[in-house]
Amino acid sequence: MMAIVWFLLIITVLVVVHEFGHYLAAVSLKTRVEEFAIGFGPALFKLKGKYTQFRFNVFPLGGYVRLAGEDNGNENYDPSDSGLFINKKPWQKLVIALAGPLFSILLGYIVIGFSGMVYGFNEVVIEKVIPGSPADEAGLLSGDIIKKVNSGYAFDRSILSLNIAEGKKVDMQVVSSGKIKELSVFPSYTEQVDTIVLDYFEYEGNLEELSNKELLKINGSDKIGEVFSRLEAGDPINLEFEGETFLRGKLSSYSTEKERYTIGVYFAVFSNIININQGKFQKGDKIIAIDDFEINGGTDFLESITKLSLSSGQFYLQTEANRTTKYFSPFLGNDIFIKILREGNEIIINIEKSEFMQLLSSVNAVAQGYGKWRPKGAEVIGVSIQWANSLLKAMLQSIGQLFTGKADTNDLMGPVGIANIIGQAAQAGIESILSLIALITLNLGIFNLLPIPALDGGRIVFSLYEMISRRKVNPKVEAIVHFIGFALLMVLMVYVTFNDITRFMK
């Protein structure tokens, strides 16, 4: 229930801010605004202004602004009325259409700045450096904090990832053992990584023999990628490795990570320290082993969670360039023995796997693997602007990948998915809510700028056409185009909502 309340509150505020941008621009350009509504459905109450009626409706889900003459064909208007949207100059129409997305984006910058002042920014901490990697050769060490990347602040690990993805030299300012050092890293190209989970696996021999083995064939074919693209969960699978080594079973899941530039580091995301008092655990307990699986940090802990999530009879296999890099089977039995460090003493806790997994599913169950840093004085403004700029850049890249086929439309999220994420953020605290508000409002602004009919971007395109051609678009044609665009958007909304529900039910 609280997730729904937060969802309705956040979406309504963000949409109203967006629509207020349209309203303010329209009023400034003497365009009559007939209605400014908060929510949809029947009105709870109305306030009559000089030219605008302000409605507060029953269903608090966004809002809208209705401009006089916006529908391009209402016969109740005097065609010569200068207050009609349809009678405005092309540049005025453009400003009105552009104002909404700009207000959404501006709100994102403001929220990020406020969050930065109150809570600070995340440190980018390196947990592990892969031996022989570009990072290792450059002198990066475990525990180093990356402060700047290519002269810009590194307040999020995505900043570093974006720079690495370009494949060019990356200059860094790093805090290492309390001292600042400057260094450069040259990313290397990493081959495709495939992750396979098998059910009912069979293997003759010692599993340790799989280490660094080359995968030669799948189901008798050496066209490994092509075979994987045809397989579905439950299909029989026979993996043949060099040395006539075979691994058989049924495919449970398969995922792939395409070739990319990397520097060979693992960032600190989660630690292996319990962050709440629950059951047999106390806040501050440091997990150092589960059964015979040693845990030396967050990366090992995340891997142990993968092992815990495997069912009996499953097997996890990861390959890079078709060569085995990681593999393991689940922890045996329903009970596990967890070795913790509590106030300097080693303690072993016997607990059921399901109970431990339930603990880990609690909000903030495990401490973060990084700290916070706060810019001094006016520095917070520059950092906040850079953070927002990087988020906008990442969003534009994601949208571009959707249109070029490099990203999957299944990754899109609709109202159900957003409500679920907002619910999780609400449990995590105000800082998480603020971060999510910034992401949503920036996305709202960018999405509405897309040149799609029925969106603000579609109206901007028509305005630009009129400015360039010096010809007015036929109102009926524009209305039809916007109607078609709206219908397609509704189809897309149904599609992403279905995907959201499907993900939620898994």
Side-chain angles (χ1 to χ4, degrees), residues 110-122:
I110 293 172
V111 172
I112 286 174
F114 177 76
S115 178
M117 285 190 296
V118 175
Y119 298 102
F121 298 92
N122 296 336

Side-chain angles (χ1 to χ4, degrees), residues 149-150 158-171 185-189 259-263 393-394 397:
V149 178
N150 292 336
S158 64
I159 299 296
L160 181 56
S161 298
L162 286 171
N163 283 273
I164 292 171
E166 296 178 359
K168 301 176 182 178
K169 183 185 73 167
V170 180
D171 297 320
V185 184
F186 295 85
S188 62
Y189 203 62
E259 301 91 341
R260 67 203 187 284
Y261 284 101
T262 65
I263 62 172
K393 181 180 178 181
Q397 288 179 338

Side-chain angles (χ1 to χ4, degrees), residues 144-165:
D144 283 356
I145 301 172
I146 301 175
K147 296 297 292 183
K148 291 187 176 181
V149 178
N150 292 336
S151 299
Y153 292 101
F155 41 77
D156 189 283
R157 62 184 184 277
S158 64
I159 299 296
L160 181 56
S161 298
L162 286 171
N163 283 273
I164 292 171

Side-chain angles (χ1 to χ4, degrees), residues 290-293 303-310 312 329-336 353:
I290 299 179
D291 286 351
D292 58 352
F293 188 89
E303 189 169 304
S304 73
I305 294 174
T306 301
K307 280 176 65 68
L308 286 167
S309 65
L310 294 177
S312 177
S329 53
F331 291 107
L332 299 176
N334 293 322
D335 290 352
I336 52 176
K353 284 194 291 187

